[in-house]
Amino acid sequence: MKTVLSGIQPSGRPHLGNYFGAIRPHVAMAAGADTCLYFIADYHALTTSRDPAALREASRDVALTYLALGLDADRAMLFRQSDVPEVLEIAWLLACVTGMGLLERAHSYKDKVAKGLVPNVGLFTYPVLMAADILAYDSDLVPVGKDQIQHVEMAQDMAASFNAAFGPVFRRPEPLMPREELQAKVPGLDGEKMSKSYGNDLWVFESGKKLRQAVNRIVTDSEPPETPKDPEKMLLFRFLELFLEPAELAEWKERVRRGGPGAPGYGHLKQRMAEAIETRFGPARLRREELLADPAEVDRILAHGAERARVRAVAVLDRARRACGLR
Ligand code: ADP
Ligand code: TRP
């Protein structure tokens, strides 16, 4: 049985890319035999957040999203990063065995600075805190997107440096790219990769008129329905593939390929798309609304998650403190 850990940025409304690339595989893993810890990375968010109310709300929204989309919080531990302050002390211990050069080579940091961002110390030491997150719970596997792999490798380096100096304290983690991640990226409404920062995303819980408006933004050309088309080259089908059963999908593709009278137009396909999204996420949307109306229950779940996670972090920190001479 492995320990799986991942951190989720409280950065606003989760979109279809986040769902297929991260949330769904996280929820699926939590239903298996492994012990899963998922936390809301609110300490990390402070490298940029200056709005306390927005941070609180976005953090809670991550919890609502995961719970609504089926995370079993009795099995998995769902908690706020900042409810386990032991990670900050572990981060300090790791910082003291980490060369400046390692952090200076971080792609994510370099990219942000190259874009003109004036970095604070928190942003520079972000990978140290992330390593502490990972090492604090004796994690074996860390599911992350491609852009975070280097950070997990840095955690391996920091664990090795600490262990080389003070003996075997930290377990070596491995990054894990979910299968979906290796396959096609979820496209955005404009055909680029779906991302909050491109403004081409679709909120998982969108519904009704707003959902139809968003689906209508999926880019198409101006060919009439009768013209036979190759569905493999149509952006709309890259979305439909995520939602429809294979038999129904094959039928739509065949009708589009054949063209002629009675072939479905873009409007028709978009209508089916919006319905499919409502069907897939409707029950989760209702669960989300129930949880939204019961903040005490969400607080209870997060507190319970933190309590269980903390037992692990306290044990690891104790090992680390003894090893380096603090006790
Ligand atoms: P964004 O690009 O919207 O800021 P993040 O970088 O915060 O998204 O990604 C959070 C998680 O969602 C990561 O695991 C990432 O790999 C996954 N993810 C984000 N966008 C997509 C996408 N378009 N397709 C598949 N997975 C995605
Ligand atoms: N840096 C991750 C991201 O931007 C979030 C994160 C923080 C994380 N700590 C972590 C992910 C530890 C995995 C493990 O998505």
Side-chain angles (χ1 to χ4, degrees):
M1 210 177 70
K2 303 268 188 199
T3 297
V4 176
L5 169 123
S6 199
I8 305 127
Q9 289 268 13
S11 52
R13 310 192 136 193
H15 54 67
L16 293 183
N18 300 143
Y19 175 73
F20 287 104
I23 302 168
R24 187 173 71 166
H26 287 168
V27 170
M29 266 182 286
D34 296 334
T35 301
C36 295
L37 295 95
Y38 299 129
F39 66 88
I40 303 156
D42 53 359
Y43 279 146
H44 274 120
L46 276 180
T47 57
T48 54
S49 169
R50 295 296 177 263
D51 183 340
L55 178 58
R56 261 192 297 272
E57 205 202 312
S59 297
R60 175 165 287 270
D61 196 63
V62 173
L64 291 176
T65 297
Y66 271 73
L67 294 170
L69 290 166
L71 183 74
D72 180 348
D74 288 328
R75 305 186 70 175
M77 293 169 233
L78 178 69
F79 58 102
R80 285 193 203 89
Q81 184 182 30
S82 61
D83 284 338
V84 188
E86 284 75 15
V87 293
L88 293 179
E89 189 172 342
I90 295 176
W92 176 256
L93 301 184
L94 295 173
C96 293
V97 295
T98 302
M100 295 280 286
L102 185 78
L103 297 184
E104 277 160 356
R105 284 191 293 277
H107 302 310
S108 161
Y109 175 76
K110 284 196 292 186
D111 289 351
K112 287 183 176 137
V113 173
K115 281 189 191 134
L117 191 123
V118 180
N120 53 49
V121 176
L123 187 73
F124 184 65
T125 60
Y126 186 112
V128 182
L129 180 57
M130 181 158 162
D133 292 329
I134 295 169
L135 302 176
Y137 307 102
D138 283 333
S139 312
D140 298 299
L141 296 173
V142 186
V144 281
K146 234 198 215 136
D147 61 323
Q148 297 293 319
I149 297 272
Q150 191 195 24
H151 289 158
V152 182
E153 290 167 353
M154 289 177 153
Q156 295 173 334
D157 290 344
M158 290 179 216
S161 302
F162 192 95
N163 292 351
F166 299 117
V169 168
F170 293 118
R171 183 178 295 179
R172 181 185 163 88
E174 296 296 336
L176 176 74
M177 288 248 273
R179 276 184 65 76
E180 284 87 346
E181 194 80 42
L182 293 172
Q183 293 163 10
K185 288 266 171 222
V186 175
L189 303 175
D190 57 0
E192 299 300 318
K193 180 195 170 216
M194 183 173 284
S195 171
K196 266 166 279 222
S197 39
Y198 301 155
N200 62 1
D201 58 321
L202 176 58
W203 185 37
V204 172
F205 298 112
E206 204 64 272
S207 71
K209 191 169 166 206
K210 279 196 174 156
L211 172 61
R212 288 196 300 278
Q213 281 170 342
V215 169
N216 274 334
R217 281 176 55 207
I218 297 175
V219 172
T220 53
D221 56 29
S222 50
E223 290 288 340
E226 297 77 33
T227 312
K229 301 176 196 73
D230 180 359
E232 306 310 327
K233 291 192 180 134
M234 288 165 64
L235 177 59
L236 246 175
F237 273 98
R238 293 184 54 204
F239 284 101
L240 288 167
E241 279 158 4
L242 297 169
F243 290 93
L244 299 187
E245 295 296 331
E248 186 188 347
L249 183 70
E251 194 183 319
W252 285 107
K253 283 187 174 175
E254 182 47 35
R255 290 174 63 196
V256 164
R257 231 179 254 119
R258 216 182 313 128
Y266 295 128
H268 199 157
L269 292 167
K270 284 178 171 176
Q271 192 188 334
R272 181 69 193 99
M273 175 74 217
E275 276 167 23
I277 294 177
E278 294 261 13
T279 306
R280 168 75 73 96
F281 294 116
R285 199 175 57 244
L286 291 180
R287 268 202 301 282
R288 182 175 183 281
E289 275 157 25
E290 283 164 20
L291 288 164
L292 202 53
D294 191 359
E297 170 66 359
V298 177
D299 287 341
R300 189 195 62 75
I301 290 170
L302 290 174
H304 181 57
E307 202 179 305
R308 291 157 69 208
R310 207 164 173 192
V311 171
R312 289 179 165 239
V314 165
V316 172
L317 175 59
D318 188 60
R319 241 160 48 207
R321 289 183 69 133
R322 284 172 196 279
C324 65
L326 294 177
R327 284 227 179 104

